[in-house]
Amino acid sequence: MSARHFLSMMDYTPAELVGVIRRGVELKDLRNRGVLFEPLRGRILAMIFEKSSTRTRVSFETGMIQLGGQAIFLSPRDTQLGRGEPIADGARVMSRMVDAVMIRTFAHSNLIEFATHSRVPVINGLSDDLHPCQLLADMQTFLEHRGSIQGKTVAWIGDGNNMCNSYIEAAIQFDFQLRVACPEGYEPSAQFLALAGDRVTLTRDPYEAVEGAHLISTDVWTSMGQEEEAAKRLALFKPFQVNREMLDRAATDVLFMHCLPAHRGEEISVDLLDDPRSVAWDQAENRLHAQKALLEFLVAPAYTPA
Ligand code: CP
Ligand code: NVA
């Protein structure tokens, strides 16, 4: 049987996704109580990073070690993948040695190509299209602070980027209403919007989007790989800065999330991460717990002693 992957939120059933985030809550509790839990002893995760990372790298590497396994960091600069070896060949070889592969890349098709030729689970650690691991952490964070997100209203403010596309998938899978406020020409991809139907609405007015919302989320205006557009985007996105006044228009128990890294003074006001409604640090921590649950779900448990 071919391995199961995690390239998108749509790869799992809603029940499986809820199961993973609930397990993330349990693993967090085990860790907080100092319980050693090492089901992945002897297992190895390869991590291919074509783009920079703090949270994704540290959470996956730490997570594997805490689960009893190990992680190998690979940059294209140092592997043959960076010198033109076909992705399919890299996948065939690596997946005969390691037990899972996490990839952060540009084109989403690279992930699909790798997964197609991999014997072991492949995890999307961010592509130009999607960032599903971040959504596991976001959904765990909402669950911990407010309970089920089903039937709630979420506002996505800013760029219709990889994070926004993953919020659209989460809206479908976790059954919430998503309002996206973005400048003209920066909408999320049509393929994701089509998938969501009337679960997602688009507006040009961020204040309209946040009215009564239970969760507000945003991200940088210039994603990795778009650096040349930074100046143009900075001017265009100005009306989409999330600030305390915007949060005041939302539900009284609104939460604010940002996947980080944040640019204070750009997509968020300088003080927003200090607002009590912001749960960005819990959200960042939950990358560790949610992904440990994902690894436990995907990777076969420890070898038996000889
Ligand atoms: N949110 C997130 O993926 O952060 P990194 O780019 O630091 O991994
Ligand atoms: N949209 C951002 C997310 C970083 C975690 C990017 O792709 O750079």
Side-chain angles (χ1 to χ4, degrees):
M1 201 184 89
S2 64
R4 279 196 84 177
H5 306 294
F6 185 58
L7 307 187
S8 136
M9 302 291 278
M10 307 312 287
D11 289 346
Y12 294 170
T13 64
E16 285 173 330
L17 289 171
V18 169
V20 168
I21 64 164
R22 286 206 184 127
R23 183 64 179 149
V25 176
E26 286 172 9
L27 293 178
K28 183 175 184 171
D29 179 57
L30 281 186
R31 174 87 190 139
N32 288 343
R33 289 193 284 116
V35 178
L36 202 62
F37 179 63
E38 299 185 325
L40 299 188
R41 281 185 79 163
R43 298 291 173 184
I44 312 285
L45 172 73
M47 308 186 298
I48 303 172
F49 280 95
E50 294 186 345
K51 294 173 174 171
S52 304
S53 169
T54 298
R55 279 143 289 268
T56 305
R57 177 174 177 183
V58 176
S59 54
F60 268 112
E61 196 161 333
T62 304
M64 269 313 278
I65 295 168
Q66 288 179 0
L67 290 170
Q70 291 193 50
I72 304 171
F73 174 82
L74 299 163
S75 105
R77 230 195 359 250
D78 316 315
T79 63
Q80 300 292 3
L81 281 174
R83 294 183 60 249
E85 181 171 23
I87 291 173
D89 292 358
R92 288 183 182 107
V93 173
M94 279 188 223
S95 71
R96 283 171 182 242
M97 299 180 184
V98 302
D99 301 288
V101 182
M102 185 242 84
I103 307 177
R104 169 167 285 199
T105 187
F106 290 88
H108 192 76
S109 55
N110 292 341
L111 273 161
I112 295 172
E113 173 78 358
F114 198 103
T116 304
H117 299 280
S118 173
R119 289 181 173 186
V120 299
V122 176
I123 298 169
N124 180 358
L126 181 143
S127 69
D128 287 347
D129 287 2
L130 292 167
H131 196 4
C133 288
Q134 182 67 54
L135 261 292
L136 292 180
D138 291 19
M139 294 299 101
Q140 181 178 330
T141 308
F142 193 92
L143 180 73
E144 287 173 340
H145 282 269
R146 297 284 183 264
S148 172
I149 199 164
Q150 186 172 22
K152 303 282 188 197
T153 299
V154 178
W156 174 266
I157 311 296
D159 193 16
N161 61 12
N162 43 11
M163 274 297 299
C164 181
N165 292 336
S166 281
Y167 260 96
I168 293 175
E169 291 193 340
I172 298 166
Q173 298 290 63
F174 288 87
D175 192 20
F176 59 80
Q177 206 58 36
L178 180 68
R179 300 183 193 143
V180 176
C182 59
E184 213 173 325
Y186 294 86
E187 296 81 10
S189 311
Q191 70 176 101
F192 296 105
L193 286 174
L195 208 63
D198 58 11
R199 213 173 277 265
V200 178
T201 52
L202 275 184
T203 170
R204 303 284 168 227
D205 180 359
Y207 283 92
E208 184 189 320
V210 301
E211 197 70 53
H214 304 98
L215 168 63
I216 299 175
S217 188
T218 191
D219 184 14
V220 293
W221 291 338
T222 301
S223 286
M224 290 180 277
Q226 300 172 331
E227 287 77 8
E228 282 172 13
E229 300 172 29
K232 182 180 165 205
R233 285 171 170 266
L234 202 59
L236 239 155
F237 280 85
K238 245 191 173 67
F240 293 84
Q241 183 187 81
V242 182
N243 51 45
R244 284 182 158 152
E245 295 69 51
M246 214 178 260
L247 264 52
D248 291 343
R249 302 275 280 269
T252 48
D253 62 348
V254 69
L255 294 178
F256 172 72
M257 294 191 195
H258 190 312
C259 65
L260 306 175
H263 293 84
R264 292 171 175 82
E266 294 184 19
E267 77 275 1
I268 53 166
S269 56
V270 173
D271 56 0
L272 199 65
L273 295 183
D274 306 317
D275 190 284
R277 293 168 288 189
S278 168
V279 288
W281 309 123
D282 290 344
Q283 180 191 2
E285 178 188 333
N286 281 339
R287 291 294 303 276
L288 171 66
H289 310 298
Q291 287 161 200
K292 281 171 73 177
L294 176 69
L295 288 165
E296 189 191 25
F297 179 80
L298 280 176
V299 182
Y303 295 96
T304 45

